[in-house]
Amino acid sequence: MFYHVKDLQFNARVSKPDPAFATLLLEQFGGANGELAAALRYFGQAFAARNPFPDKYDLLMDIATEEFSHLEIVGATIQMLLQGVNGDLKKAADESEIMQMLDGRKAKEEIIHKSLIAPQFLTTSAGGPAYTNSQGVPWSAAYINGDCNGDLTVDLRSDIAAESRAKITYEYLLQFTDDPYVKETLNFLMTREVAHYQMFEAALETIQPNFPPGVLQSDPRYSNLYFNMSSGADIRGPWNEGESSQLGETWQFIEDPVSYVLKTNGLTDIEPKGTARTLQGVDEINAGMSAQRSEEINMAVPIGEQVWSQSAKDQELENGSKRRNKK
């Protein structure tokens, strides 16, 4: 159930019209890393988490709803930056507030040129924000469908990356406006991306084990091989020497990948090296993890009649408790 409060989460303001920046800001309204994409990404992920991870369902729904609030802030800011387009422009362009700012033919031609980047401002939406990016490309669910994977450890990693991309987009946008009020709004939105990043990171840590993502373990014959696939100056670092970050295996630097592949019959005639893990051990973990995760899901989502509303579930639990007490 959604309930709309007509006040914005953050008191967005602008000091003057700026159609050019309004066009850029569309990136966070209907772009791939924008607020609409974020809201629908977390909203979609929440469904699969509802029963097996009710705490993460609460987190995802809370943040999804906040992202809708941010979409409203971005849309309101775009609308304010386009003041004078909607209304006065319909009456007479030469009398509108926005055209009075543009003294001379050259200035007017410049604003018309800029509007062509997102022509819906002057030709279709009359100044209202449209669900497009800054180049006028319509929003697409293709931006987020790959982020609703059904495995929460995978989804949360996608969310961490998404918040990182959105944060950088706001950081870039801040460089293209001198309006102090708009800067305040963008700074708020950018900061919330940082906050959400940490929330998703903390949520991921509560699911253990969470590496590798999913259930099946990685093959110890190949999990610590680094193939030197380019010629020239070879760079060594913690990604190809020392121990790997998650499994604690010693990186095996394959200096000549072609020769190595040929000698090992296409990597099929090798044994695990630099690791304590074995193929038998992996099979045992796979069986144990499969049973554990299956049991968790089955216990959370039993076969039979189901109810989604939490209030209905609470009522069922209360009635069941009363019946047991009577006995």
Side-chain angles (χ1 to χ4, degrees):
M1 178 173 62
F2 287 88
Y3 182 86
H4 181 251
V5 178
K6 296 176 182 65
D7 289 324
L8 295 178
Q9 182 188 20
F10 183 84
N11 186 24
R13 300 177 292 172
V14 305
S15 62
K16 60 184 183 300
D18 189 346
F21 188 73
T23 299
L24 291 179
L25 193 53
L26 271 174
E27 196 64 38
Q28 288 304 87
F29 193 76
N33 299 311
E35 302 295 351
L36 177 62
L40 293 179
R41 174 185 297 112
Y42 310 144
F43 187 69
Q45 291 172 348
F47 288 100
R50 175 66 174 89
N51 286 315
F53 299 102
D55 53 341
K56 311 307 187 299
Y57 172 85
D58 183 54
L59 168 72
L60 288 165
M61 277 299 188
D62 282 345
I63 297 181
T65 305
E66 183 180 355
E67 300 290 14
F68 280 119
S69 298
H70 294 173
L71 181 69
E72 185 177 21
I73 292 170
V74 172
T77 302
I78 291 172
Q79 185 70 64
M80 289 187 289
L81 288 170
L82 292 167
Q83 63 185 9
V85 173
N86 195 348
D88 284 346
L89 188 61
K90 295 178 181 177
K91 181 174 63 178
D94 291 335
E95 297 177 5
S96 70
E97 178 183 354
I98 199 168
M99 288 306 174
Q100 290 173 10
M101 295 169 45
L102 304 172
D103 185 22
R105 180 181 179 85
K106 181 179 179 181
K108 291 183 180 181
E109 288 179 347
E110 182 179 353
I111 193 64
I112 292 171
H113 172 73
K114 288 179 178 179
S115 76
L116 292 177
I117 299 175
Q120 62 272 16
F121 281 160
L122 296 185
T123 60
T124 57
S125 70
Y131 292 105
T132 74
N133 67 8
S134 58
Q135 294 181 308
V137 178
W139 188 88
S140 169
Y143 294 152
I144 62 170
N145 281 341
D147 295 325
C148 300
N149 192 273
D151 185 292
L152 194 56
T153 66
V154 178
D155 289 350
L156 288 171
R157 285 182 168 91
S158 291
D159 299 344
I160 290 170
E163 295 294 324
S164 300
R165 293 191 299 269
K167 190 269 184 185
I168 293 299
T169 302
Y170 279 120
E171 190 170 317
Y172 292 155
L173 284 168
L174 278 163
Q175 301 179 53
F176 292 97
T177 179
D178 296 322
D179 191 318
Y181 293 149
V182 174
K183 282 180 174 288
E184 285 180 356
T185 299
L186 297 184
N187 181 68
F188 166 76
L189 294 169
M190 181 190 73
T191 300
R192 293 307 297 164
E193 310 295 351
V194 176
H196 292 165
Y197 178 109
Q198 297 173 92
M199 295 173 195
F200 290 133
E201 188 177 45
L204 178 62
E205 285 302 310
T206 67
I207 305 174
Q208 294 295 336
N210 65 43
F211 187 88
V215 172
L216 298 179
Q217 304 300 296
S218 58
D219 191 318
R221 293 176 295 176
Y222 315 124
S223 55
N224 61 342
L225 300 182
Y226 181 91
F227 294 102
N228 183 32
M229 302 295 279
S230 57
S231 62
D234 296 332
I235 306 299
R236 304 302 296 269
W239 53 87
N240 61 20
E241 65 181 357
E243 289 190 351
S244 59
S245 60
Q246 296 287 341
L247 296 175
E249 300 172 327
T250 302
W251 287 114
Q252 305 298 302
F253 188 85
I254 310 302
E255 181 72 42
D256 185 351
V258 174
S259 176
Y260 187 80
V261 167
L262 293 175
K263 288 179 181 179
T264 60
N265 191 25
L267 303 179
T268 59
D269 295 339
I270 61 175
E271 296 293 330
K273 186 178 179 181
T275 176
R277 297 192 308 134
T278 65
L279 291 172
Q280 180 181 354
V282 164
D283 289 339
E284 292 173 356
I285 295 175
N286 286 344
M289 282 286 292
S290 296
Q292 176 186 332
R293 289 293 167 83
S294 178
E295 183 180 2
E296 290 173 352
I297 299 298
N298 288 335
M299 289 180 64
V301 192
I303 301 300
E305 184 177 340
Q306 297 186 36
V307 61
W308 190 268
S309 172
Q310 186 60 49
S311 60
K313 286 188 174 184
D314 293 341
Q315 185 65 43
E316 283 185 352
L317 291 173
E318 182 180 343
N319 292 338
S321 177
K322 288 180 179 179
R323 286 193 296 268
R324 287 191 297 271
N325 291 334
K326 285 181 180 181
K327 294 179 180 179

